[in-house]
Amino acid sequence: MTTLSQRALERRIKRQLKNRDLSYYIPCMPKFEDVLAKELSKLENISDIELEHGGVSFEAPLDTIYHANLNLRTAHRVLLRLGSFLSQSYPMLYDHARKIPWELYLGFNKSFSIKTTSKQSRLKHHDNIAESLAAAINKRLNDLGLEAKEDKNAKTEIYLRLFQDRATISLNSSGEHLHKRAYRQEHAKAAIRETLAASILLKSNIENFDTVLDPMCGSASFLIEAAQIASQEAPGLRREFAFEEMPFFQESKWLRFKREAEAKIIEPSLEIIGSDISKKNIAIARNNIKEAGFQDLISLSVEDARAYRLEKPNLLIVANLPYGKRIMNEAEAKELSESFAKNLKNNFKGSYFSIITANAASFKEKEFKATKTNFSNGGIKVTLIQGLLG
Ligand SMILES: C[S@@+](CC[C@H](N)C(=O)[O-])C[C@H]1O[C@@H](n2cnc3c(N)ncnc32)[C@H](O)[C@@H]1O
C-alpha cells in the first residue's frame, strides 16, 4: 500500500470538492428560518434553498464555506453534508460511512470529535454509534496509509444525526457556535444571543429605519448587532473557524475574502440608542460597545423603560424583556411587561416595535395591531411581538 501524498490529496480535493456544488445545512433559531434564507440568497452561487425546521439546506460550491461563515448573522453553524443513508444496524452504518472520502476533510494525522443524536431509530446507544463511525473513518484512512484519532476536544467536529433509521453525516465547518463574534467581553444576566438579536433586527427590516432604540439593553447585544448591520461589517471578521484547519482551506483566498469584506464597511447613518435601569449593565454595555469599536455610534443612558420617552421619526424599538427567574420574579416581570406596553402605547405613536416577552398578554389585541411569533429561548417559551404603534 502506498501512502497518499500531499499532492495526490490536493488533486483529489480539486477533483471532488472544487468546480461542483456541495450540500449544506445551516441550523438557526426555529421560527427564523426565513430570515436566514433571505441572508443566504444574498450570497453568490446558492441554489435549491429549502427551509426545514430549525435550519436551511442548500447547494453551493466549496467557497461558500468561507462566505457563509464570514457573512451570515443568523446562522448557528455552517455544516457540510457528507452523506445520508439508511442505517438500521451497526454494520450498515460502518459500510456506508467508510465510503465517504474522509481524507478530503481530515487530511493527514488529524484528530476529530463525533457528536451524535438519535431519534426514532434502532441505533440508540451514542457510544456505539460513535465507535462504528470512528472505525469506518479509520478504515478509509488506513487504506490510504493515513490515520486520524478520535478526541472529544478536537476542533474538527463530525455530526451524525439518526432520524427514523436514516443517518445524516455532516462536517462542522464553523467550530464554535457562530453567535460568538469575538467582541463581547462581559454578559449581563439573561443576555440574548447575537444570532437571535440579528434575526430580530433583520426580521424587523432595520434598513428601513433612521433610529434604533433598546430601552432594556443589558450587555448591548441588539445595539452592537444593529451597528454591525448598519456598517455592513461582516460578523465573522474577527473570529476563527474550524475550516481554517481543514485540508481544503486556502489561506490566500481567505485573506482575500476578508479584505473584500473589510472594503464593504461603510460609515452608517443609523442612530443607535440604548438604555437600562441598571447602572452596572450600562457599564457592561459600554465596555462591550468599545470592544466592538462602536463607541462613537451608540449612545447610552440609565433610564427606567416604564417612563422613558424619546421622540424620533422613523424609530424601531427592540427589547428583550426580563423573564424566567434570572432577573426578577414572574409577577414582577409581568408587571414590567404591562407598564412597558402602556408606555409604548401612550408615548411612542408612529414607532415600530419588536419585543420579546414571556407575557404576550400585556400587549392586548385591542390596543396593539401586532404579529406574534412564539418560540423558545433558552428553554423558556416567549413571544416576539411586532407592530406599528398607532
Ligand atoms: C433580559 S435582559 C436584556 C438582555 C439584553 N438584551 C442583552 O442581550 O444583554 C433585561 C434587561 O432589562 C433591564 N431592566 C429591568 N427592568 C427595567 C426597567 N424598568 N427599565 C429599563 N430596564 C430594565 C435589566 O437590567 C436587564 O438588563
Side-chain angles (χ1 to χ4, degrees), residues 118-184:
S118 173
K119 274 188 195 152
Q120 300 172 33
S121 298
R122 269 167 245 202
L123 305 186
K124 287 188 180 60
H125 195 285
H126 293 285
D127 288 349
N128 293 349
I129 296 169
E131 206 173 287
S132 292
L133 178 57
I137 292 171
N138 266 307
K139 169 73 178 135
R140 169 83 189 191
L141 294 177
N142 294 163
D143 286 350
L144 297 166
L146 310 173
E147 63 175 342
K149 269 197 205 74
E150 194 191 346
D151 168 2
K152 65 176 181 351
N153 299 316
K155 282 194 178 162
T156 301
E157 288 177 348
I158 295 156
Y159 292 177
L160 194 166
R161 175 175 173 266
L162 273 158
F163 181 64
Q164 293 180 339
D165 290 332
R166 198 163 183 85
T168 304
I169 298 185
S170 311
L171 179 73
N172 172 14
S173 73
S174 306
E176 275 196 291
H177 195 291
L178 291 175
H179 79 82
K180 300 212 168 153
R181 312 282 207 224
Y183 61 73
R184 181 138 71 182

Side-chain angles (χ1 to χ4, degrees), residues 184 187-193 214-222 275-278 281 303-306 319-323 327-328 336:
R184 181 138 71 182
H187 285 249
K189 266 187 205 163
I192 189 174
R193 275 185 171 177
D214 179 353
M216 301 191 200
C217 70
S219 41
S221 321
F222 271 123
S275 56
D276 199 287
I277 202 166
S278 153
N281 285 355
E303 312 277 353
D304 184 338
R306 291 168 293 192
N320 176 28
L321 269 66
Y323 42 76
I327 295 181
M328 52 183 63
L336 174 61

